[in-house]
Amino acid sequence: MSDYLKKGFLLGLGAAVSGKEKLSLKLKELVDKNELTQEQAKTVMQNFVDKGAMKKDEWNSKNYEQMSKMAKDNGIATKEDINELRARLTELEEKLDEKLNQPN
């Protein structure tokens, strides 16, 4: 991962942690004031965590797509490219072995 992307990811992670802590404090305050039940506070917090996980997955997917596009644009082989070449090489080796081992 490039240094720029890594710094952006860490910044986002820090904001998420800070946001979670602030939300937790606010929810505790609302429960203490009887404006929310403990169960409602747990639901709100779980929704926040779930949304964060969903965004993380979305970010990872977009990051993967962007890195794959950059690799393709710069002529760099991806893992998929290498695996495809390995499969083709194995197939060719098997065909060659068959030809060499055929009786004349």
Side-chain angles (χ1 to χ4, degrees), residues 50-90:
D50 291 346
K51 186 173 181 180
M54 186 174 69
K55 286 294 182 184
K56 177 184 154 236
D57 292 343
E58 183 181 310
W59 189 86
N60 285 339
S61 177
K62 285 183 181 181
N63 184 45
Y64 177 80
E65 290 171 15
Q66 183 180 24
M67 295 299 271
S68 294
K69 183 182 179 319
M70 285 174 45
K72 184 178 179 181
D73 290 348
N74 291 303
I76 299 170
T78 63
K79 188 183 269 187
E80 289 83 10
D81 295 333
I82 293 169
N83 288 337
E84 183 180 321
L85 288 172
R86 282 185 180 139
R88 290 177 63 195
L89 182 59
T90 300

